[in-house]
Amino acid sequence: LMTINPVLTIDRTKNELIPLPQPDELFYLRRDGVKFDCVLPGSAGKLKASGVCVLSSTRIVFIAKEKTANRADFGSFEIPFGRDVGGLVNPQFKQPIFGANYLQGEVQCAQFGGGTAKASLTFTSGGCDTFLQNFFRVFGEAQLQGQAAPFSAGFRQNPQHTAFVDPNDPSVLYISQPTPSAPPLDTTTTGTQ
C-alpha cells in the first residue's frame, strides 16, 4: 500500500534526504527534476510537488523539495512494487507531443477510507532513459515474484557492466549504498534542501 510521508533519513556521505532503508532493500538510483502528482481516492484531494525520486529494489519514494508541495501535510510519497502489498499496478510511460515525459500508474491506498490513488512522475529536466530501464526491470521482476524484487546479483557483483550513461539524463546511480544517519526524521515537516 502507498504511504504518504514514509520515514526519511539523511545520507551521511551526501547530506541528502533518502528513504530509511527497509530490510534487504538496496537503492538503484536517485533522479532529480521530477514533478509528482497524485489524485487520492474519494474526496481526499490531490498531492503535488517538485523534487527527487529514489528507485530501490522494493519501491519508488518521491521526496518533495522545500516549499513546493501543495499541502503542508505532504513531504514524501512511497509507491511499493509488490502485488502482495497492494503495490503499483498498470505503470505506463507517456511521451506527449507537447510537454515532458511521465510515468503514471495506480496504487492501493489504505488511508482516506481505502481505494485507488492515481500517481504520476513527470521528468522535467533532461532524459529519463536510465530511470526507465532500471524501473521496468525491477518492476518486472517484482511482478514475476509477486513481491518486491531482490537486488539483481549481476548488478551487485559487476555494477560497471550495468550502468548506462546518458549525458542528458540527470539520474545518479548508486554504486555503493547510501549511509543513513540516525535517528530517522519526522517527515511531516521536512523536505529536501
Side-chain angles (χ1 to χ4, degrees), residues 77-150:
F77 193 92
E78 175 184 324
I79 303 170
F81 294 147
R83 288 182 300 208
D84 62 337
V85 294
L88 181 66
V89 294
N90 196 26
Q92 298 176 349
F93 176 63
K94 302 288 186 170
Q95 293 180 296
I97 294 172
F98 300 105
N101 297 336
Y102 63 96
L103 179 67
Q104 69 179 16
E106 298 176 348
V107 64
Q108 292 301 306
C109 178
Q111 298 159 307
F112 313 110
T116 302
K118 295 180 181 173
S120 67
L121 298 168
T122 302
F123 304 98
T124 60
S125 65
C128 56
D129 192 49
T130 303
F131 179 87
L132 291 171
Q133 287 183 27
N134 283 282
F135 165 74
F136 280 112
R137 181 175 49 82
V138 172
F139 182 78
E141 289 174 8
Q143 297 308 295
L144 289 174
Q145 296 175 9
Q147 59 185 9

Side-chain angles (χ1 to χ4, degrees), residues 4-17:
I4 298 173
N5 299 323
V7 179
L8 301 177
T9 188
I10 294 181
D11 176 358
R12 283 190 251 163
T13 58
K14 297 200 180 268
N15 200 32
E16 297 174 329
L17 284 176

